[in-house]
């Protein structure tokens, strides 16, 4: 599935506790209340961004997949950048 390949609705694995998974409706799967996740109106609503729940890191990672020619990269946080004895970012 293209949305899974973009890394949407899947934890990024960054160094943050309790990262939310998000939500991506699956055809044929039922929610806890018994209703189907994927209904007749799901494809059109997905095309404009509805019916999909992602966190900001998942969204940034999806854009990075497009920018990196289709390669899914594990994001990480950088605390400090040092070049020689000079601190570039702290």
């Amino acid at each position: 599935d293209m949305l899974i390949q973009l890394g949407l609705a899947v934890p990024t694995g960054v160094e943050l506790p309790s990262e939310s998974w998000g939500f991506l409706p699956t055809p044929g799967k039922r929610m806890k209340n018994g209703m189907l996740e994927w209904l007749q109106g799901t494809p059109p609503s997905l095309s404009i961004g509805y019916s999909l729940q992602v966190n900001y890191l998942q969204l940034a990672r999806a854009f990075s997949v497009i920018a990196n020619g289709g390669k899914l990269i594990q994001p990480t946080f950088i605390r400090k950048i040092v070049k020689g004895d000079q601190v570039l970012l702290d």
Side-chain angles (χ1 to χ4, degrees), residues 7-14 19-22 55 58 61 74:
L8 296 172
V10 179
T12 62
V14 296
E19 179 186 3
S20 67
W21 277 69
N55 64 41
Q58 291 169 349
R61 184 173 61 172
Q74 167 96 22

Side-chain angles (χ1 to χ4, degrees), residues 35-74:
M35 292 185 61
L36 287 170
E37 287 182 1
W38 193 280
L39 302 172
Q40 185 177 0
T42 301
S45 66
L46 280 173
S47 70
I48 57 173
Y50 295 145
S51 300
L52 174 68
Q53 298 171 9
V54 298
N55 64 41
Y56 288 113
L57 289 172
Q58 291 169 349
L59 187 59
R61 184 173 61 172
F63 280 107
S64 77
V65 169
I66 296 166
N68 290 318
K71 187 174 180 183
L72 182 66
I73 295 178
Q74 167 96 22

